[in-house]
Amino acid sequence: MAEYSWPSKEDSRLIGKRHTRLDGLAKSTGAARYTYDVNLPNQLIVKALGSPHAHCKVMSVDVSAAEKTPGVVHVHVLRMPKKGDDGVMVYPEIQTEGELIVAVAAESEGAAAEGVSKIKVQYEQLPVFADDDDLDAAIKAGRTKRAGGKITLEKEPGDDEDEEEFEEKEIARLFKESAHVVEGHYGIDVITHCCLEPHGSTVEWKGGKLNAYLSTQNVSKTDDGFAAALDLTADDVDVHCEYIGGGFGSKFRPDYWGIAAAEISKATGRPVKFMLTRDQELKIAGNRPSGYINVKLGADKDGVVQIWDSQQWGTSGYDGGGVSDSVIPYVYRPKNYRRVATSIAVNADPQRAWRAPNHPQACAMTQTAYDDLAAKMQVDSLDIFLKNLANIEARQTAEVYTEELKLAAQLMDWKAKWHPHGKGPRKGSVVDGLGIGLHEWGGVANSSSVLLRVHADGGVSSYCGTQDLGTGTRTVCAIVLAETFGLDIDDVKVNIGHSTYPESGASGGSTTVGAVSESHRRAATDALARLFEKVAPALGAQPGDLEAKKGRIQVKGSPSKSLSWKEACSKLGMSTIEITTNYERGNKTNLSSEGVGGVQMAHVSVDLETGAVRVNKVVAVQDMGLIINRKAAESQIYGAVIMSIAYALFEQRIMDPKTGAFLNAELSDYKLPRLGDIGEIVVEMYEPESQRSRGVIGLGEPPVISGGAAISNAVCNATGVRVPVLPLTPQRVLKALG
Amino acid sequence: MSNWFQEHFSRRKFLGGTGAVAATALLSESARQAEAAEKEPQVRSGEQTIKLKVNGKVHEVKVEPRTTLLDVLRYQLDLTGAKPVSIDGSSGASTVIVDGKPVTASTTLALAVEGKAIQTVESLAGKKLDPVPQCFVEHDAEQCGFCTPGFVVAVRAYLDKNPNATEEMIRNNLNGNICRCGTYVNVLQAAVAVVKGGGNG
């Protein structure tokens, strides 16, 4: 078995360098075909009616007028009242506003929309609970359940002591002995994934097989999802996704509307395009749970937290989950802590994984309390963040965080800019402030297989059922292959995005770059070994003495004894090297590993008269092991920081607490930052050899985590007042200022 | 939109795509229509064939009064660069250039742009690649890429009017487009590079 490894930094010709993405031109000129862009001959367009109520029963559905609408070809009822086995009518219960009830297939978008407008549905409205930030109200309404918790104390109770009594007494003692005690309330609202390409598919049947163009971050396994729902086997379903217009954790399944598309296509014998509308995308296609927390912490005279006591709540929709308590407090973990979590069920769509599930909320709910400790002590937040590294629980070390904090402070010019909370100079009505957040993430490589071919004419092609969420997966595959073969990136042809290609894991958990780096490096190493065997006789050498460099196969260190890549491949004669290599997640390897940290610092201005917050500068320092494409890695961090600015200052699901109506489900109202809102962003890769030598670690999620806390802390530093709940809208800032 | 629509169409008499009209050159036809419209209100209804000049080429397309320019581009002309992201145009993803001005094709009715010069992102990738998409590629200003064509067109339209725009001007004026992945830093770098003469080779 070959030993797989990466070339050293000095020997890397392509890895770690800056490369433009292979599909950049297609994306920038409109040539890239997304699911929404796939138009099949004779296709029908589907639009659907969503429930106007957050909680109701569907009593009757009348589609007769819709069916008569010019251009309407087929009406498909998703939630129809019907008689049960016992002869009693069963009325479907709807748990979220927007849930789809009837789908209309028509010749055009306009006709489909008109058909939808003519559907008549009778509902029986049911009581709604939609208030996720009011714990008392939720308890009163019977909408809560215990959602985990943990207590850890250094001291243990005596044999004859009652455990709970001991815990209460011990916690009280620890607070009493604390030099500084901080009590605070923090929170972060529900946001949505808001993929710019809405969820959906274009599908067609061909001889009993389903061809599905699906906007998905799980190309290899969504065939299973279709097959299970349609009573097929996965080999009867081909899923295609060359380009996906955003996923962020929300596009792992065909979803019930994907299944409906397949059913409508079967019923009509025509291809069908069924994409959600914008408001449906926001209402039913993915959201991130909210989190709210009451914290009491006690610290010693140096500001090192000795005791943490928190009660958190929040919602993940009608299934009643929330932010996991396992990451509370975040990164920092005092030796004594108690955390209790309660989940609230509200009449809203269940959560989906959102970029770094649980972490951004946990960071924003807890590292704000650490900053409030600095505020109370009137000491530099950086000192408090550094000192408390004595007690952490994270997948990166305190030493690395220390280095990253120092690096970030330097890039932010922290010492020169910092002032005690609320004590900075006022320019007119504007005050400035600084804040910190730090984060951790896993980023293990997912399982990945690739089929690699090296042809006798020198052609190289790879086939892998992975997908490119926007992270530059295609380019990563090409860089790894080209580096291994000593070729240029353009010399290899990378194929991804089809479920008929060898299976590769879903893009979730920052697992994709590691996955494809593993499979492609392994396959290329194996293929090269085979090629060396064929070429060695011609060079009068042993296969083990050969290397691939600068487009040639040569005797190690002797460029004079060499063949061009093409000449070398011609030694394959009539044969082709064809290798399928598989990497299985979790196997020990030199090529990839897991566990990263990172630090972000924000500098903001706050207008005390209007409550407007402006981000002036964010510094993001990130470790990620070995970088494959530096340019794309930087773009990931820029994007993640901007997404943090989004949930820190702008975006929130505004839900009417009485009716459960999603009030801002259009992009004009669902506020996202624009080009003018981002300030200066400085990205710094922390990559000493000790990190690089760990191999590839996923980067997509970690840099989105700590920006929220950093911005909130900066606003607190500026104003001297904590604005408790993200996003920090002008209204909330003014309310906190009093 | 509805007010605008009423003002321009609903009180006018139906003009229709008669053989006589279809035989006339597009621009003069349009001029004649405009003249007629000034004299007496016109109403147009039902499906009709009109001519649209897209990327320098005249196409016959079938539209109803409710048909958007975006739907015509995407479903009839196979130009899918402009994207359907927001029904109200607030994302800018469907931005195209009409008579030199950026408009969102999702909020523009096809009937409203008869006789006008429509330019889509695809036109920037002709025989010679336009510097804007070229600089987008060089500065990695695309992640998922779904917003990118609209952004490219918006940058092109803005720099056509402001060829010497400063970074500050670009930050202040290119706020009609939303990118969910967060490519703004890269878009800004790309736009600045275009001003500096980048993307010409």
Side-chain angles (χ1 to χ4, degrees):
Chain A
M1 196 67 191
E3 183 71 19
Y4 302 106
S5 62
W6 294 113
S8 69
K9 196 170 182 176
E10 296 68 38
D11 286 343
S12 295
R13 206 167 41 89
L14 302 172
I15 286 174
K17 305 291 194 297
R18 305 176 64 80
H19 304 282
T20 56
R21 60 185 71 210
L22 289 174
D23 43 18
L25 191 60
K27 286 178 173 176
S28 292
T29 57
R33 292 271 167 169
Y34 296 75
T35 297
Y36 213 145
D37 302 333
V38 174
N39 290 321
L40 301 174
N42 203 30
Q43 75 183 4
L44 294 169
I45 308 291
V46 174
K47 296 279 168 205
L49 173 75
S51 168
H53 308 298
H55 193 199
C56 61
K57 276 185 180 169
V58 177
M59 304 308 289
S60 70
V61 179
D62 175 3
V63 299
S64 53
E67 282 173 337
K68 288 187 200 115
T69 304
V72 169
V73 173
H74 184 81
V75 178
H76 181 83
V77 182
L78 293 149
R79 307 300 304 270
M80 181 65 110
K82 56 186 169 205
K83 262 190 190 147
D85 294 339
D86 53 3
V88 178
M89 283 300 288
V90 178
Y91 301 100
E93 185 178 343
I94 302 296
Q95 290 268 27
T96 177
E97 187 203 8
E99 185 172 332
L100 305 181
I101 296 169
V102 183
V104 176
E107 301 288 355
S108 68
E109 297 251 354
E114 188 182 344
V116 167
S117 74
K118 293 191 175 160
I119 297 164
K120 293 189 185 76
V121 179
Q122 283 189 315
Y123 303 94
E124 181 188 312
Q125 280 185 254
L126 298 171
V128 170
F129 187 85
D131 202 353
D132 61 336
D133 63 355
D134 188 341
L135 183 59
D136 292 338
I139 292 170
K140 220 169 166 183
R143 306 291 295 222
T144 59
K145 63 179 182 201
R146 176 77 184 260
K150 194 177 174 186
I151 182 161
T152 296
L153 298 169
E154 276 187 298
K155 280 196 175 173
E156 291 195 1
D159 290 343
D160 53 350
E161 264 180 301
D162 177 81
E163 204 167 326
E164 276 182 27
E165 223 170 90
F166 167 80
E167 287 165 1
E168 289 298 336
K169 269 167 66 183
E170 176 62 5
I171 288 170
R173 183 188 71 80
L174 286 160
F175 276 116
K176 205 172 164 199
E177 288 176 6
S178 294
H180 308 281
V181 174
V182 168
E183 287 188 70
H185 170 67
Y186 313 93
I188 179 165
D189 289 338
V190 168
I191 63 169
T192 74
H193 294 67
C194 191
C195 304
L196 289 201
E197 180 185 35
H199 286 60
S201 58
T202 302
V203 302
E204 63 176 344
W205 291 86
K206 275 190 172 169
K209 284 187 74 165
L210 180 70
N211 221 9
Y213 299 86
L214 178 71
S215 187
T216 183
Q217 53 196 95
N218 189 11
V219 164
S220 282
K221 295 302 277 180
T222 33
D223 52 0
D224 293 16
F226 278 111
L230 297 165
D231 202 19
L232 303 167
T233 47
D235 54 341
D236 284 331
V237 183
D238 288 350
V239 173
H240 312 272
C241 184
E242 290 265 353
Y243 297 96
I244 170 177
F248 314 109
S250 67
K251 288 180 177 170
F252 290 116
R253 306 186 295 264
D255 285 310
Y256 66 87
W257 47 85
I259 305 303
E263 288 170 344
I264 295 167
S265 179
K266 192 158 208 179
T268 57
R270 294 174 63 176
V272 160
K273 183 197 294 291
F274 188 171
M275 307 298 291
L276 297 186
T277 58
R278 177 54 43 196
D279 68 315
Q280 289 166 348
E281 174 69 16
L282 269 70
K283 285 173 184 169
I284 61 170
N287 66 77
R288 183 177 85 177
S290 57
Y292 308 95
I293 197 168
N294 288 334
V295 177
K296 186 177 179 187
L297 65 77
D300 64 16
K301 62 177 176 23
D302 295 328
V304 178
V305 177
Q306 302 298 325
I307 171 73
W308 171 278
D309 194 14
S310 68
Q311 186 184 30
Q312 70 183 86
W313 64 96
T315 192
S316 66
Y318 63 72
D319 62 348
V323 176
S324 169
D325 73 293
S326 66
V327 280
I328 302 285
Y330 189 62
V331 176
Y332 292 117
R333 196 62 55 87
K335 293 193 175 84
N336 301 286
Y337 63 87
R338 175 168 65 183
R339 60 187 188 214
V340 178
T342 304
S343 72
I344 300 177
V346 301
N347 293 106
D349 201 46
Q351 66 100 21
R352 296 184 182 207
W354 192 96
R355 202 171 186 175
N358 300 312
H359 288 233
Q361 301 105 305
C363 189
M365 288 195 291
T366 63
Q367 292 184 5
T368 36
Y370 275 73
D371 193 62
D372 277 352
L373 173 63
K376 185 156 195 184
M377 292 172 68
Q378 287 285 293
V379 298
D380 190 334
S381 307
L382 179 56
D383 291 339
I384 294 298
F385 274 72
L386 280 166
K387 278 180 187 163
N388 278 284
L389 288 172
N391 300 315
I392 62 169
E393 194 173 298
R395 285 166 284 196
Q396 188 50 282
T397 64
E399 290 70 31
V400 169
Y401 282 121
T402 303
E403 289 304 311
E404 291 179 342
L405 277 169
K406 287 178 178 167
L407 194 50
Q410 207 180 321
L411 293 164
M412 182 53 96
D413 200 11
W414 180 276
K415 288 286 174 206
K417 282 187 191 150
W418 193 83
H419 56 71
H421 287 69
K423 302 276 171 67
R426 193 172 154 152
K427 289 161 266 174
S429 59
V430 176
V431 285
D432 290 356
L434 282 177
I436 308 174
L438 42 86
H439 57 260
E440 59 115 19
W441 190 250
V444 68
N446 218 335
S447 300
S448 179
S449 295
V450 62
L451 165 66
L452 178 63
R453 289 200 184 108
V454 178
H455 298 270
D457 60 6
V460 175
S461 53
S462 67
Y463 302 84
C464 177
T466 187
Q467 52 277 318
D468 190 340
L469 259 186
T471 52
T473 313
R474 260 188 198 87
T475 317
V476 165
C477 297
I479 291 168
V480 170
L481 294 177
E483 177 81 61
T484 312
F485 290 138
L487 297 172
D488 288 333
I489 291 173
D490 293 341
D491 296 333
V492 301
K493 292 186 182 68
V494 171
N495 299 282
I496 64 170
H498 299 267
S499 65
T500 46
Y501 296 165
E503 189 170 319
S504 200
S507 289
S510 304
T511 59
T512 303
V513 171
V516 300
S517 297
E518 281 279 1
S519 59
H520 288 66
R521 178 70 174 176
R522 285 161 186 263
T525 303
D526 292 351
L528 200 56
R530 294 257 289 271
L531 184 62
F532 287 166
E533 282 170 23
K534 297 278 186 184
V535 173
L539 290 172
Q542 293 300 312
D545 296 335
L546 301 183
E547 62 181 358
K549 267 202 166 161
K550 293 182 185 166
R552 302 189 78 78
I553 304 295
Q554 64 185 40
V555 176
K556 276 178 191 163
S558 310
S560 58
K561 288 186 190 168
S562 69
L563 292 174
S564 73
W565 174 260
K566 222 172 169 166
E567 287 165 345
C569 290
S570 72
K571 304 292 176 202
L572 294 171
M574 299 292 283
S575 66
T576 299
I577 296 175
E578 186 168 300
I579 283 177
T580 302
T581 301
N582 176 43
Y583 170 73
E584 271 188 46
R585 181 176 179 145
N587 280 0
K588 209 171 153 31
T589 159
N590 294 324
L591 297 179
S592 69
S593 62
E594 63 181 302
V596 299
V599 164
Q600 294 186 8
M601 291 183 176
H603 182 244
V604 305
S605 292
V606 184
D607 188 322
L608 300 171
E609 279 175 10
T610 65
V613 178
R614 194 165 176 80
V615 174
N616 301 318
K617 181 174 177 176
V618 174
V619 171
V621 177
Q622 182 66 46
D623 59 89
M624 77 304 289
L626 173 76
I627 299 168
I628 301 290
N629 182 359
R630 188 168 301 273
K631 199 181 261 194
E634 280 174 8
S635 297
Q636 276 298 295
I637 302 175
Y638 282 133
V641 168
I642 290 165
M643 222 165 189
S644 318
I645 293 172
Y647 71 74
L649 298 182
F650 298 104
E651 62 172 321
Q652 62 186 138
R653 179 180 74 188
I654 302 174
M655 187 176 264
D656 178 54
K658 293 279 182 286
T659 63
F662 189 149
L663 299 173
N664 60 332
E666 288 291 348
L667 283 175
S668 45
D669 303 318
Y670 188 86
K671 275 200 83 185
L672 290 168
R674 294 178 185 246
L675 189 65
D677 295 317
I678 59 168
E680 181 193 0
I681 300 174
V682 177
V683 167
E684 178 75 14
M685 313 293 198
Y686 179 73
E687 50 172 343
E689 188 51 33
S690 57
Q691 293 301 317
R692 188 189 184 279
S693 61
R694 298 172 66 204
V696 180
I697 313 175
L699 173 68
E701 283 152 300
V704 86
I705 296 167
S706 60
I711 290 168
S712 177
N713 291 340
V715 169
C716 182
N717 179 245
T719 61
V721 171
R722 175 63 58 181
V723 186
V725 178
L726 268 54
L728 311 179
T729 60
Q731 201 179 356
R732 284 176 171 171
V733 172
L734 290 178
K735 192 178 168 205
L737 287 168
Chain B
M1 175 49 63
S2 61
N3 285 343
W4 183 91
F5 178 72
Q6 279 166 9
E7 198 179 303
H8 283 74
F9 292 104
S10 60
R11 284 178 285 109
R12 296 180 191 177
K13 220 191 308 179
F14 174 63
L15 277 171
T18 65
V21 172
T24 330
L26 182 74
L27 284 173
S28 64
E29 179 203 350
S30 161
R32 223 157 33 73
Q33 282 177 6
E35 204 178 315
E38 266 173 38
K39 284 179 190 155
E40 48 184 325
Q42 308 289 335
V43 174
R44 301 176 77 171
S45 62
E47 187 178 275
Q48 52 208 275
T49 302
I50 63 167
K51 288 177 179 173
L52 288 185
K53 190 178 179 189
V54 182
N55 299 335
K57 209 174 146 193
V58 177
H59 301 266
E60 272 196 3
V61 296
K62 279 188 178 165
V63 301
E64 297 172 84
R66 68 184 171 192
T67 308
T68 62
L69 171 59
L70 183 63
D71 280 357
V72 171
L73 294 173
R74 294 176 55 80
Y75 290 119
Q76 294 190 49
L77 303 181
D78 199 30
L79 296 169
T80 56
K83 302 289 191 237
V85 168
S86 50
I87 197 164
D88 56 7
S90 53
S91 74
S94 68
T95 304
V96 297
I97 296 174
V98 176
D99 282 351
K101 287 184 184 148
V103 302
T104 47
S106 64
T107 59
T108 302
L109 294 177
L111 283 176
V113 289
E114 261 189 293
K116 296 186 177 180
I118 300 155
Q119 200 189 344
T120 71
V121 69
E122 286 87 354
S123 72
L124 304 179
K127 275 182 193 155
K128 189 180 179 306
L129 181 63
D130 186 275
V132 174
Q134 181 66 45
C135 286
F136 265 62
V137 176
E138 283 167 16
H139 293 273
D140 205 38
E142 57 280 306
Q143 286 192 34
C144 89
F146 204 68
C147 77
T148 310
F151 236 131
V152 165
V153 174
V155 170
R156 178 72 277 160
Y158 180 68
L159 294 184
D160 282 347
K161 291 268 185 277
N162 305 276
N164 300 312
T166 62
E167 182 183 319
E168 200 55 28
M169 286 166 72
I170 294 164
R171 277 185 192 265
N172 290 337
N173 290 289
L174 277 162
N175 286 291
N177 296 66
I178 287 173
C179 172
R180 184 51 159 158
C181 301
T183 56
Y184 298 135
V185 174
N186 313 67
V187 169
L188 185 63
Q189 289 170 352
V192 168
V194 174
V195 173
K196 288 182 178 164
N200 278 316

